[in-house]
Amino acid sequence: MVSEYLLRNNLKRTLLTHNKKTMPNSGANGNGARMAGDERRLQILRIAMRLFSQRGFRGTTTKEIALAAGVSEAMVFRHFANKEMLYSAILDQKACVHDTLDPRQAVTDAMESKDDRAVFEGIALETLNQHDSDPEFQRLLLHSALEEHDLAQMFWEKFVRRVYRSLGNYIRQRQREGAIVELEPSVVVRAFIGMVMHHSLNNNLWDRKRSLLKISNQVAAREFAGILLHGIAAKDETGMPSRTSGNKSIGQRFAAKKITSGRHNGSAKLRVNSKRKRSRK
């Protein structure tokens, strides 16, 4: 089981102390003195995360982590009983650094004021900025999912489900108020997160030179929010989607079919009634 942010207090103090200086990979700090326990733990944690993100959980041994950290394997086990504890600690450390990795934290005020564009744009921007600043963690999550390691499920339960639940509840509320069309909220959330995640994966894994699309995170967040809230269909002078008959949406085609069917049924009834009248005469 994963502890509920067991490293939060110690790591926050350590991170505040070391944000202004470089963490060495050797067994001593820059002055030749031995590292304190918290410093050593954080150093091993950072190196383990880097190796896990490059080689995966199964492809990385504690011996390799110790070698990269410039310590003995026994020192690694002194701080982390096994690799599972290392993974657990990585999640706790990320929770400290990224305020629980929850992009909703950045849009609390927008949700309360019911500013839909600010909500979706803020979540997209926060997520993209986190992935840009910490691509190793994104790679680590992908490795853990492919290897079916518990870390993927840990992350899903701790963070992803919370986003779905919170954003889904917000969408339902706005649907009741008539501000958002009646669609399954989970589908809306998935469509939105899908745009953001695919963009992030392209930038960090497949197209690092941005050869297909080179835009800032601010622009990407703004455009994704616009696509979700307004779509991409051109509007006519009445404000309705302007589409040719061949490009009608499913809803439009269904409505048109009902109208046409009604007309056909009406015409058929008129013909039947006319025949009946003639036969009576």
Side-chain angles (χ1 to χ4, degrees):
M1 295 293 293
V2 182
S3 62
E4 186 62 28
Y5 310 145
L6 63 93
L7 299 181
R8 181 178 295 278
N9 293 331
N10 286 341
L11 282 172
K12 277 186 175 179
R13 289 195 297 268
T14 307
L15 288 169
L16 288 173
T17 302
H18 292 279
N19 275 341
K20 297 182 180 180
K21 58 184 180 180
T22 303
M23 179 65 68
N25 288 335
S26 62
N29 63 25
N31 297 323
R34 296 182 64 82
M35 285 186 184
D38 286 347
E39 293 175 331
R40 175 66 70 201
R41 184 183 183 90
L42 184 58
Q43 181 213 17
I44 294 172
L45 198 62
R46 286 174 171 170
I47 289 172
M49 187 180 69
R50 173 168 57 82
L51 294 179
F52 284 148
S53 72
Q54 293 171 350
R55 308 173 189 177
F57 181 80
R58 296 172 186 164
T60 305
T61 66
T62 51
K63 184 176 294 185
E64 290 170 332
I65 294 170
L67 182 64
V71 299
S72 66
E73 193 173 11
M75 177 66 73
V76 174
F77 288 128
R78 181 180 301 175
H79 291 282
F80 307 96
N82 48 46
K83 288 198 292 185
E84 282 75 14
M85 287 299 296
L86 265 172
Y87 257 156
S88 173
I90 286 171
L91 269 188
D92 287 330
Q93 191 258 354
K94 291 302 175 184
C96 294
V97 173
H98 293 307
D99 291 327
T100 72
L101 294 171
D102 193 342
R104 298 171 305 167
Q105 301 291 336
V107 296
T108 301
D109 293 340
M111 283 185 165
E112 291 178 356
S113 63
K114 300 177 182 180
D115 186 341
D116 299 334
R117 173 169 281 278
V119 168
F120 289 103
E121 188 171 334
I123 288 176
L125 181 59
E126 181 71 13
T127 302
L128 292 173
N129 284 342
Q130 284 184 8
H131 292 166
D132 272 2
S133 65
D134 198 359
E136 281 187 352
F137 188 56
Q138 189 177 41
R139 290 176 59 89
L140 180 64
L141 287 174
L142 289 175
H143 273 299
S144 67
L146 291 172
E147 295 177 357
E148 298 183 347
H149 189 271
D150 288 343
L151 176 66
Q153 192 62 30
M154 294 174 196
F155 184 80
W156 178 265
E157 294 294 337
K158 277 191 173 185
F159 307 117
V160 179
R161 280 190 182 276
R162 293 179 184 178
V163 174
Y164 264 78
R165 187 181 306 116
S166 178
L167 195 50
N169 289 338
Y170 175 80
I171 292 170
R172 287 186 186 90
Q173 177 187 352
R174 298 297 284 148
Q175 286 175 334
R176 289 193 294 268
E177 295 166 351
I180 295 178
V181 296
E182 291 293 333
L183 292 172
E184 170 55 44
S186 295
V187 174
V188 179
V189 175
R190 177 154 296 186
F192 177 65
I193 293 178
M195 288 190 288
V196 176
M197 291 302 300
H198 183 69
H199 182 70
S200 178
L201 288 171
N202 267 295
N203 288 346
N204 290 338
L205 297 181
W206 304 312
D207 189 20
R208 296 180 184 178
K209 294 182 179 179
R210 313 294 200 267
S211 61
L212 289 179
L213 180 63
K214 189 173 184 178
I215 57 176
S216 68
N217 287 343
Q218 288 80 3
V219 172
R222 184 182 70 230
E223 297 301 323
F224 293 154
I227 290 171
L228 182 79
L229 293 172
H230 305 297
I232 60 173
K235 304 295 190 295
D236 61 20
E237 61 274 7
T238 67
M240 297 297 291
S242 175
R243 299 177 179 176
T244 63
S245 58
N247 292 325
K248 288 182 179 178
S249 67
I250 294 174
Q252 288 175 315
R253 290 198 297 271
F254 179 72
K257 185 176 180 181
K258 286 184 68 177
I259 293 171
T260 304
S261 176
R263 288 173 180 168
H264 288 328
N265 291 338
S267 300
K269 288 178 181 178
L270 286 173
R271 287 195 297 272
V272 170
N273 289 336
S274 297
K275 288 179 180 179
R276 286 176 178 173
K277 288 179 181 179
R278 285 197 298 272
S279 64
R280 287 172 186 171
K281 292 179 180 178

